Amino acid sequence: MNEMDQILMREHHLENETLSLKAKGLFSIMLLQEPTWNFTVRNLAELSRDGIEAVGNAVRELEKAGYVERHREYSPEGHISGVRYILHRTPCQGKPAPENHQPEN
């Protein structure tokens, strides 16, 4: 771990007393992943011994707190083709996209 990595761990989320320890740890792990890493609840769960449900709950906690945004991506036929994750080092103040938003054709 280099000096920059150590500085990055002094993050806002670690000092946020409203977040659970599970959410803080998960977000720290998420920040360490490459931007091209395939962020899914299933893949995140594979990084620990916690199950999919526990990881999903932590991701929802991070969403509610403004650290994570998940945007569904749709195929041209209108089917969900994936989910795009956006991570915020400090809580996002913007209004999150509606959960079932579909792009207009």
Side-chain angles (χ1 to χ4, degrees):
M1 184 179 288
N2 64 35
E3 183 178 331
M4 186 61 172
D5 291 334
Q6 292 172 354
I7 291 170
L8 289 177
M9 289 306 292
R10 298 178 73 188
E11 296 283 348
H12 184 277
H13 70 282
L14 295 174
E15 297 174 0
N16 186 333
E17 295 177 0
T18 66
L19 290 178
S20 69
L21 290 174
K22 183 173 294 210
K24 289 178 183 185
L26 178 64
F27 194 62
S28 295
I29 289 170
M30 291 172 81
L31 289 173
L32 292 174
Q33 302 307 311
E34 295 293 324
T36 57
W37 193 74
N38 186 16
F39 283 92
T40 66
V41 171
R42 182 177 304 281
N43 286 349
L44 289 167
E46 290 177 2
L47 298 176
S48 74
R49 67 179 189 190
D50 293 325
I52 292 172
E53 184 176 343
V55 171
N57 289 338
V59 170
R60 282 188 289 283
E61 180 182 348
L62 291 166
E63 280 183 292
K64 185 175 179 182
Y67 290 98
V68 172
E69 288 182 64
R70 288 190 290 180
H71 298 279
R72 290 181 177 163
E73 296 177 341
Y74 294 88
S75 70
E77 297 81 27
H79 302 285
I80 296 173
S81 61
V83 179
R84 184 171 48 101
Y85 280 65
I86 300 173
L87 308 181
H88 300 280
R89 292 186 183 279
T90 57
C92 176
Q93 302 300 320
K95 183 179 176 184
E99 186 66 24
N100 58 3
H101 173 74
Q102 290 191 21
E104 295 180 23
N105 294 332

